[in-house]
Amino acid sequence: MRSIGYLLIGIFFGIVMFKSEAASWFRIYEMFQFQSFHMYGIMGSALLLGVIGVQIIKRKNLKSFFGERISFIPKEKSFSRYMYGGIIFGLGWALAGACPGPIFTLIGAGFLPILIVFIGALLGTFLYGLLRKKLPH
């Protein structure tokens, strides 16, 4: 039953990504060229909604759909891990023209050349798994 719920949320997310043009390579290119506010507006509104949502969950002690307590575990603060990770993620996003969410959206929309990017993302994830213990955490 959980899988169906996750699948429906994923389909809804994919439709929103595609219709808002957040999965468009052209929109991502515009963003990196500072030619349009479109993508910054989408990311900014997502950030704002996320912050508000987390605050509501914390203050009201909300539970998940399955009755489990939602807890936020504080992470260790360090500069290097976020800087290196952000640079690698940003370079991959800029070179491929897609971050992980739009990759699946574009595959679902029938843009088959994005499968090359998907394979690259899988290889990058595998490589991270191999190097994880040697990276700053």
Side-chain angles (χ1 to χ4, degrees), residues 38-63:
H38 184 84
M39 291 296 287
Y40 293 110
I42 290 173
M43 289 189 291
S45 62
L47 178 66
L48 181 65
L49 285 172
V51 168
I52 292 169
V54 167
Q55 291 306 312
I56 290 171
I57 290 169
K58 284 181 175 181
R59 292 180 184 178
K60 303 252 184 206
N61 291 320
L62 297 180
K63 296 186 178 186

Short mmCIF file of all heavy atoms in Angstrom, two decimals, residues 38-63:
data_model
loop_
_atom_site.label_atom_id
_atom_site.label_comp_id
_atom_site.label_asym_id
_atom_site.label_seq_id
_atom_site.Cartn_x
_atom_site.Cartn_y
_atom_site.Cartn_z
N HIS A 38 12.85 32.41 -13.64
CA HIS A 38 11.92 31.27 -13.59
C HIS A 38 12.38 30.17 -12.62
O HIS A 38 11.66 29.80 -11.70
CB HIS A 38 11.73 30.70 -15.01
CG HIS A 38 10.74 29.61 -15.10
ND1 HIS A 38 9.40 29.85 -15.21
CD2 HIS A 38 10.87 28.27 -15.08
CE1 HIS A 38 8.75 28.70 -15.27
NE2 HIS A 38 9.64 27.73 -15.20
N MET A 39 13.57 29.64 -12.84
CA MET A 39 14.04 28.52 -12.01
C MET A 39 14.35 28.97 -10.59
O MET A 39 14.10 28.23 -9.64
CB MET A 39 15.28 27.88 -12.65
CG MET A 39 14.98 27.14 -13.93
SD MET A 39 13.89 25.74 -13.70
CE MET A 39 14.98 24.60 -12.90
N TYR A 40 14.90 30.17 -10.45
CA TYR A 40 15.16 30.68 -9.10
C TYR A 40 13.85 30.85 -8.33
O TYR A 40 13.79 30.62 -7.12
CB TYR A 40 15.93 32.01 -9.15
CG TYR A 40 17.32 31.85 -9.70
CD1 TYR A 40 17.65 32.35 -10.95
CD2 TYR A 40 18.29 31.18 -8.97
CE1 TYR A 40 18.94 32.20 -11.45
CE2 TYR A 40 19.57 31.02 -9.47
CZ TYR A 40 19.89 31.53 -10.71
OH TYR A 40 21.15 31.38 -11.20
N GLY A 41 12.79 31.26 -9.04
CA GLY A 41 11.48 31.38 -8.41
C GLY A 41 10.94 30.04 -7.95
O GLY A 41 10.39 29.91 -6.86
N ILE A 42 11.11 29.02 -8.79
CA ILE A 42 10.65 27.67 -8.43
C ILE A 42 11.42 27.15 -7.22
O ILE A 42 10.84 26.65 -6.25
CB ILE A 42 10.79 26.70 -9.62
CG1 ILE A 42 9.76 27.06 -10.71
CG2 ILE A 42 10.62 25.25 -9.18
CD1 ILE A 42 9.92 26.27 -11.99
N MET A 43 12.75 27.28 -7.25
CA MET A 43 13.56 26.78 -6.14
C MET A 43 13.32 27.59 -4.86
O MET A 43 13.27 27.02 -3.77
CB MET A 43 15.04 26.79 -6.51
CG MET A 43 15.38 25.73 -7.53
SD MET A 43 17.14 25.53 -7.82
CE MET A 43 17.54 27.05 -8.64
N GLY A 44 13.17 28.90 -5.01
CA GLY A 44 12.91 29.74 -3.85
C GLY A 44 11.57 29.43 -3.20
O GLY A 44 11.47 29.35 -1.98
N SER A 45 10.54 29.22 -4.02
CA SER A 45 9.23 28.88 -3.45
C SER A 45 9.26 27.50 -2.81
O SER A 45 8.63 27.28 -1.77
CB SER A 45 8.13 28.98 -4.51
OG SER A 45 8.35 28.06 -5.55
N ALA A 46 10.02 26.56 -3.39
CA ALA A 46 10.15 25.23 -2.78
C ALA A 46 10.87 25.33 -1.43
O ALA A 46 10.46 24.67 -0.46
CB ALA A 46 10.91 24.30 -3.72
N LEU A 47 11.91 26.15 -1.37
CA LEU A 47 12.63 26.34 -0.12
C LEU A 47 11.73 26.96 0.94
O LEU A 47 11.69 26.49 2.08
CB LEU A 47 13.86 27.23 -0.36
CG LEU A 47 14.69 27.55 0.87
CD1 LEU A 47 15.36 26.29 1.41
CD2 LEU A 47 15.74 28.59 0.54
N LEU A 48 11.00 27.98 0.56
CA LEU A 48 10.09 28.64 1.50
C LEU A 48 9.02 27.68 2.01
O LEU A 48 8.77 27.60 3.22
CB LEU A 48 9.44 29.86 0.84
CG LEU A 48 8.49 30.67 1.71
CD1 LEU A 48 9.25 31.30 2.86
CD2 LEU A 48 7.80 31.73 0.88
N LEU A 49 8.41 26.91 1.11
CA LEU A 49 7.40 25.94 1.53
C LEU A 49 8.00 24.85 2.42
O LEU A 49 7.36 24.41 3.38
CB LEU A 49 6.74 25.30 0.31
CG LEU A 49 5.75 26.17 -0.43
CD1 LEU A 49 5.31 25.50 -1.73
CD2 LEU A 49 4.54 26.48 0.43
N GLY A 50 9.24 24.44 2.11
CA GLY A 50 9.91 23.44 2.94
C GLY A 50 10.16 23.94 4.35
O GLY A 50 9.93 23.23 5.33
N VAL A 51 10.65 25.17 4.47
CA VAL A 51 10.92 25.75 5.80
C VAL A 51 9.62 25.87 6.59
O VAL A 51 9.56 25.50 7.77
CB VAL A 51 11.61 27.13 5.66
CG1 VAL A 51 11.63 27.87 6.98
CG2 VAL A 51 13.01 26.96 5.12
N ILE A 52 8.58 26.35 5.95
CA ILE A 52 7.28 26.49 6.63
C ILE A 52 6.76 25.12 7.04
O ILE A 52 6.29 24.93 8.17
CB ILE A 52 6.27 27.23 5.73
CG1 ILE A 52 6.69 28.69 5.56
CG2 ILE A 52 4.85 27.13 6.30
CD1 ILE A 52 5.91 29.45 4.50
N GLY A 53 6.86 24.15 6.14
CA GLY A 53 6.39 22.79 6.45
C GLY A 53 7.12 22.16 7.61
O GLY A 53 6.51 21.56 8.50
N VAL A 54 8.44 22.29 7.64
CA VAL A 54 9.22 21.73 8.75
C VAL A 54 8.86 22.40 10.06
O VAL A 54 8.72 21.74 11.10
CB VAL A 54 10.74 21.85 8.45
CG1 VAL A 54 11.57 21.58 9.70
CG2 VAL A 54 11.15 20.91 7.33
N GLN A 55 8.67 23.71 10.05
CA GLN A 55 8.30 24.42 11.28
C GLN A 55 6.93 23.97 11.78
O GLN A 55 6.73 23.80 12.99
CB GLN A 55 8.33 25.94 11.06
CG GLN A 55 9.72 26.49 10.86
CD GLN A 55 10.66 26.10 12.00
OE1 GLN A 55 10.34 26.24 13.18
NE2 GLN A 55 11.83 25.59 11.63
N ILE A 56 5.99 23.77 10.87
CA ILE A 56 4.66 23.29 11.27
C ILE A 56 4.77 21.90 11.88
O ILE A 56 4.17 21.61 12.93
CB ILE A 56 3.69 23.30 10.08
CG1 ILE A 56 3.35 24.75 9.70
CG2 ILE A 56 2.42 22.51 10.38
CD1 ILE A 56 2.56 24.87 8.40
N ILE A 57 5.56 21.01 11.24
CA ILE A 57 5.73 19.65 11.76
C ILE A 57 6.35 19.68 13.15
O ILE A 57 5.90 18.97 14.06
CB ILE A 57 6.59 18.81 10.79
CG1 ILE A 57 5.82 18.52 9.51
CG2 ILE A 57 7.04 17.50 11.45
CD1 ILE A 57 6.64 17.93 8.39
N LYS A 58 7.37 20.51 13.35
CA LYS A 58 8.04 20.59 14.65
C LYS A 58 7.14 21.17 15.73
O LYS A 58 7.09 20.65 16.85
CB LYS A 58 9.31 21.44 14.55
CG LYS A 58 10.46 20.75 13.87
CD LYS A 58 11.67 21.67 13.85
CE LYS A 58 12.89 20.98 13.30
NZ LYS A 58 14.08 21.87 13.29
N ARG A 59 6.44 22.23 15.42
CA ARG A 59 5.64 22.92 16.44
C ARG A 59 4.36 22.18 16.81
O ARG A 59 3.91 22.24 17.94
CB ARG A 59 5.31 24.33 15.99
CG ARG A 59 6.56 25.19 15.95
CD ARG A 59 6.30 26.58 15.51
NE ARG A 59 7.59 27.28 15.40
CZ ARG A 59 7.74 28.50 15.01
NH1 ARG A 59 6.69 29.21 14.66
NH2 ARG A 59 8.92 29.04 14.94
N LYS A 60 3.78 21.48 15.85
CA LYS A 60 2.52 20.77 16.11
C LYS A 60 2.75 19.30 16.43
O LYS A 60 1.79 18.55 16.65
CB LYS A 60 1.60 20.89 14.90
CG LYS A 60 1.31 22.31 14.49
CD LYS A 60 -0.07 22.67 14.84
CE LYS A 60 -0.36 24.08 14.33
NZ LYS A 60 -1.35 24.74 15.06
N ASN A 61 4.02 18.85 16.42
CA ASN A 61 4.36 17.44 16.66
C ASN A 61 3.52 16.51 15.79
O ASN A 61 2.93 15.55 16.28
CB ASN A 61 4.21 17.08 18.14
CG ASN A 61 5.26 17.76 18.98
OD1 ASN A 61 6.42 17.85 18.59
ND2 ASN A 61 4.85 18.26 20.14
N LEU A 62 3.47 16.81 14.50
CA LEU A 62 2.67 16.02 13.57
C LEU A 62 3.28 14.63 13.37
O LEU A 62 4.47 14.42 13.56
CB LEU A 62 2.57 16.74 12.23
CG LEU A 62 1.86 18.09 12.24
CD1 LEU A 62 1.83 18.68 10.84
CD2 LEU A 62 0.44 17.94 12.76
N LYS A 63 2.43 13.71 12.99
CA LYS A 63 2.87 12.34 12.72
C LYS A 63 2.73 12.06 11.23
O LYS A 63 2.01 12.75 10.52
CB LYS A 63 2.03 11.36 13.53
CG LYS A 63 2.23 11.54 15.02
CD LYS A 63 1.52 10.50 15.80
CE LYS A 63 1.81 10.73 17.27
NZ LYS A 63 1.30 9.70 18.11
#
